[in-house]
Amino acid sequence: MQIDHPTPMLAGLSPAQFMRQHWQKQPLLVRQAFAGAAPPATLKALAALAARDDVESRLVTAFDGDWQLRHGPIARLPAMAKPGWTLLVQGLDQHLAEARALLDRFRFVPDARLDDLMLSVASDGGGVGPHFDSYDVFLIQLAGRRRWRIAAQQDAVLRDDVPLKIIANFKPEQEFVLDAGDMLYLPPGWAHDGVAVGPGCITGSVGFRASAAQALAAELLPRLFDEGDEAGELYADPQQQAVAAPARVPAALLDFARRAVEAAVQRPEALERALGEALTEPKATVWFEPGEPLPPGQGACLDRRSRMLYDATQVFLNGESFRAGGRDAALMQRLADARALTAAEVAELSAEARELLDQWTEDGWVQPQPS
Ligand code: SIN
Ligand code: CO
């Protein structure tokens, strides 16, 4: 991606400028960011996805001011002519190549932060109510129109009489009506309310993920150890004296535990490996279809569901880590960044790396790239 080139997608800013000036800082409204773009899915396709139990979906209705939330699978949607409902379908990038392609336009942000593409479809007046999100979001109007009202308000009190997180005292400061092709970027913590203007409103949300410190630590700690690892030094207490209070935890055991945890974090590459594996772990709803080894003379591309990252010494794919060096490392990094290798690049892989690539195509993580 040309990170220093101005682009209509970011209102004439380059990705580099956008990140400096807006990312996590200021909203940005972009008229015709995606001029003429067709939604990656029609209402019919979204309804079919929402009916599946391996797709995350929600139906929000506010008929006569009565807010209701239903989690999918959703067998039947209300009629488009009936105002006041919206269907939200998560993870479209896992299911549709067109949705993955739209998400790929945002790869000027590290993949480790990019989460998924959600699509919402709404009848006139449909929306999820004024709320906060704790993540950055690009809201792309893909069909129909939606009125967005936003505010930088501090008052975060929520209503306690509805099944959704709706702000009790929303005080909008700015208002924009988005037409198909327009986009609104919001940093985390901005109050916002999007209401469909007319039927057939389809909005895409490019979502990001941010780890909370404690949750990340809890996820990484068990991953710091390999199955083959030695059990390590055994706790020993030759100085332990007889105790009159047998239930008290010995101070020496607490010290031993602290040293064990510190040593685990400091093992060379263990934390890097744990982080890479955790960040590329597929979501619970993702499954891969097994394939054949890569045919000779073919290029390869990552399956749209695959998550691939790398650091200085390792590559990570779908929750697993692999060590790579020299030319193989450069090619694997290229596969992660470009999400594809040409036939010529595949031919440059060592026999060992080529075997790995075949294994990945058999697992369905990598697909042959039609030339
Ligand atoms: C929507 O598309 O209706 C909701 C998106 C959001 O406000 O986060
Ligand atoms: Co939101």
Side-chain angles (χ1 to χ4, degrees), residues 128 131-133 137 139 148 192:
V128 300
H131 64 281
F132 297 103
D133 291 318
V137 63
L139 299 154
W148 287 99
H192 56 287

